[in-house]
Amino acid sequence: MILTVAWRNIWRNKRRTLITVASIFFALFFGLLIRSLQIGTFGKIANDAVSSYVGHIQIHQKGYWEEKIINNVFERNNEIETKILQHESVKSIVPRIESFALASAGVRTKGCMIMGIDPDRENNMSSIASKITEGQYLKQDDIGAIIGDKLASFLDLKIGDTLVMIGQGYHAVSAAGLYPIRGIVHFPSPELNGRAVYLTLPMAQDFYSLDNQLTSMSILLNDNDDIAEVKKYIGEITGDKEYEIMDWRELLVELQQLIESKQVSSNFMVGLLYMIVGFGVFGTIVMMTAERWREFGLLAAVGMKKIRLILTVFIETIFLGFLGLLAGFAVSLPIMIYFYKNPIILVGEMAATYEEMGFEGVMVASVDLPFMINQIIVVAVLVLIAVCYPVFKLIKLKPAQAMKA
Amino acid sequence: MKIIEVTNLHKIYNSSEVKVHAVRGIDLSFEQGEFTAVVGPSGSGKTTFLNMMGGLDNPTEGKIFIDGINIGELKSSKLTDFRMKNIGFVFQAYNLIPVLTAKENVEFIMHLQGRSKNERNERAISLLEQVGLGDRINSRPNKLSGGQQQRVAVARALASKPKFILADEPTANLDSDSTANLLDIMENLNREENITFIFSTHDARVVKKARRVVTIEDGKVVSDLTK
């Protein structure tokens, strides 16, 4: 009967109920959408960086990350590579030489970022071939280069033209080479478009006068959660302290910091939203308590214990909370799924801002269950905090006084 | 058989500005089967006296024994239980739970007592028929007249099989016909089933029906007449 009373009480003042349910609905709806887009977008940025270039783990010569010079290279070791690949969590290993040189064509010269790659393995990870806008991707034994479209435009290079590169090789040896342009590539990042030059690994080693040496080995895992385990495994395989083994969080410290700072501002907004809604719900419950104070007095007078009165009010609030949460979740879930499958393509200044930071101008929603549950719990806790008011009032209820109210 | 005994009952309300001595040393007792009116002008202390007898308010001084139990010594939760099992209430207004039908209102107290669904159902219908509302059992309070609502309140007060019923100005908001009807019902219940009724009232029609009239003025009993 308490359930009946609680349920009917909810619909006794439909407008109040609808306002309360709407408050809870909008709190959860906006909270979920904001958090979903934030988590989805930053997750995508981090995931893109990890899965398309950085990898979950990188191996370098000790000291390379502090001082990224061509002297800090390590000998490629097939035995170690094979053992790493044997670990069930390891998806692929991508060997690289990354350094700098001057790129020149005609009278124009620009500092560029040389990436010596294994074309097949690199393409499996970074899908560079799909980003080629002119020409073709590198073959395994190619002697040519592919370059970013902005760099090509700056140097006025077309497919078949020759790129001149000059730099400093291993232990200060002069580095120079001529490379026919095989393809022009477009990346979401303007930085890469303006500076990237890809060569095959042997051509890059030859340019920098390296033997079988690398600046990095990027390791892609099947699951982000296995990082610690694989790092430990690699440490055991490599044994000595010649290498530095870093995960993507250590490699992308600035990105992590950027994401965290954005999260703080977004959390503040969501917190503010919840606070406003929390006060709204609290106000409605205060009003409801005042309106029904005489009725509570009557119920206590005829023998309803305070604990049952509290339970009735609690159940009513739970009903209201449940309705609001259910509606908020039911409406926001399809929207989140839609924006998960159809990311929002940013345009104008917002897109430019993203691209300046080196990210694709895209906002995508997350549909991860844990964050949704967190948001639901937060709103539910707000509702439960609001119900404390009638609970404390009811504890002090005096029937005779309440009935005079 | 004495069911209520009140000794040296005092009630002082301490507000921030004034101290109100609402009840000043009342000594009274009530027997099983009484049909008593407590009368007096507004502010004389009738309602305060009834509230204390019903365990709704605590006396500042004095004792109230119901069936030999000093209700002043009962803790809040025990007192609520005691009220539910022993005392029926009919108030002047706002008597019923608005979201429940007449039958559900009567059943409610039996539900609190933990009675079975069948027992609740049968007794609620029977009591509503007794007060002449057999045809309105599924009506909510807002669909009933003031007199009908008070009759439901009487049925509800009887539902818990109390030792006595306290009615605080039950006819104050009723027209003449409803008042007469309600009084007839309560008088019949008193005569036929020996149910004890104690009213606070200043309604002459109630006083006329009562077999004992206790008059209170300025918080004191000034007369106690049995007809």
Side-chain angles (χ1 to χ4, degrees), chain A residues 1-2 4-5 8-9 12 291 294-295 298-306 308 399-400 403-404, chain B residues 13 51 56 76-77 80-81 83-84 89 91 94-95 97-100 104 108-109 111-112 140 156:
Chain A
M1 192 165 251
I2 284 179
T4 311
V5 172
R8 288 189 194 166
N9 270 327
R12 189 165 151 185
E291 274 175 25
R294 289 179 71 177
E295 185 184 324
L298 168 78
L299 289 167
V302 299
M304 192 168 183
K305 283 186 180 170
K306 284 178 184 174
R308 285 202 181 206
M403 288 169 70
K404 281 183 203 159
Chain B
Y13 291 109
N51 281 344
L56 300 177
S76 172
S77 172
T80 308
D81 247 357
R83 278 201 303 268
M84 180 178 67
F89 291 94
F91 300 104
Y94 208 81
N95 236 326
I97 303 165
V99 294
L100 298 181
E104 287 167 340
F108 188 75
I109 200 155
H111 170 78
L112 296 178
R140 287 206 188 175
R156 185 190 58 196

Side-chain angles (χ1 to χ4, degrees), chain A residues 25 62 64 90 101 134 154-155 180 189 230 248 279 312 315 329 353 371 373 387:
Chain A
F25 165 82
K62 197 145 195 89
Y64 172 80
V90 175
E134 283 179 62
F154 179 81
L155 297 175
S189 158
V230 177
W248 70 269
F279 275 113
T312 310
I315 290 170
F329 186 67
T353 309
F371 100 84
I373 292 171
V387 85

Side-chain angles (χ1 to χ4, degrees), chain A residues 44-318:
Chain A
K44 182 185 178 331
I45 288 169
N47 193 48
D48 282 357
V50 168
S51 64
S52 68
Y53 189 72
V54 176
H56 292 97
I57 297 170
Q58 281 192 10
I59 302 173
H60 316 124
Q61 169 73 20
K62 197 145 195 89
Y64 172 80
W65 199 248
E66 279 295 306
E67 198 180 3
K68 295 186 189 73
I69 55 169
I70 198 67
N71 289 343
N72 280 336
V73 288
F74 63 95
E75 190 73 25
R76 189 172 182 181
N77 185 324
N78 288 334
E79 194 184 338
I80 288 177
E81 229 173 285
T82 310
K83 279 188 180 170
I84 292 172
L85 275 169
Q86 280 168 355
H87 193 286
E88 58 184 9
S89 299
V90 175
K91 193 173 172 186
S92 65
I93 297 179
V94 179
R96 289 189 188 123
I97 289 170
E98 293 167 273
S99 194
F100 298 92
L102 284 175
S104 182
V107 292
R108 294 196 141 187
T109 303
K110 192 179 181 188
C112 68
M113 195 161 62
I114 303 233
M115 280 175 274
I117 57 168
D118 177 315
D120 290 345
R121 289 203 204 178
E122 190 70 40
N123 192 46
N124 284 339
M125 186 179 196
S126 313
S127 307
I128 301 173
S130 67
K131 297 182 180 83
I132 297 281
T133 54
E134 283 179 62
Q136 60 189 36
Y137 185 56
L138 294 173
K139 294 188 175 70
Q140 284 299 101
D141 57 353
D142 216 312
I143 58 160
I146 55 172
I147 62 173
D149 57 2
K150 274 194 180 172
L151 181 62
S153 167
F154 179 81
L155 297 175
D156 197 20
L157 286 169
K158 295 183 178 56
I159 304 300
D161 290 351
T162 300
L163 173 71
V164 180
M165 289 211 297
I166 306 159
Q168 185 177 291
Y170 191 53
H171 289 310
V173 171
S174 288
L178 301 173
Y179 304 95
I181 302 297
R182 297 282 189 244
I184 293 171
V185 64
H186 176 79
F187 294 102
S189 158
E191 171 75 6
L192 277 176
N193 286 330
R195 292 165 68 90
V197 175
Y198 284 89
L199 303 174
T200 61
L201 206 51
M203 292 306 290
Q205 282 168 337
D206 180 63
F207 177 72
Y208 286 114
S209 303
L210 297 170
D211 292 325
N212 188 29
Q213 289 151 313
L214 303 172
T215 55
S216 70
M217 271 206 306
S218 184
I219 299 163
L220 198 62
L221 306 183
N222 292 315
D223 193 336
N224 196 43
D225 294 339
D226 296 336
I227 287 176
E229 187 194 325
V230 177
K231 265 178 89 172
K232 192 178 164 207
Y233 174 73
I234 296 170
E236 285 165 5
I237 291 172
T238 52
D240 60 22
K241 294 177 179 173
E242 187 186 340
Y243 304 103
E244 59 188 15
I245 303 155
M246 301 172 75
D247 65 48
W248 70 269
R249 286 184 189 86
E250 296 166 290
L251 297 164
L252 299 171
V253 172
E254 285 176 6
L255 177 64
Q256 272 291 100
Q257 285 170 346
L258 178 74
I259 289 173
E260 277 165 19
S261 71
K262 292 271 179 193
Q263 270 173 346
V264 168
S265 59
S266 170
N267 286 348
F268 178 75
M269 289 292 293
V270 174
L272 206 63
L273 173 78
Y274 284 163
M275 214 166 76
I276 293 166
V277 170
F279 275 113
V281 173
F282 182 73
T284 316
I285 289 178
V286 168
M287 250 172 20
M288 178 275 288
T289 310
E291 274 175 25
R292 287 170 55 196
W293 199 236
R294 289 179 71 177
E295 185 184 324
F296 291 143
L298 168 78
L299 289 167
V302 299
M304 192 168 183
K305 283 186 180 170
K306 284 178 184 174
I307 188 73
R308 285 202 181 206
L309 276 175
I310 289 168
L311 188 66
T312 310
V313 173
F314 188 78
I315 290 170
E316 284 174 30
T317 315
I318 295 291

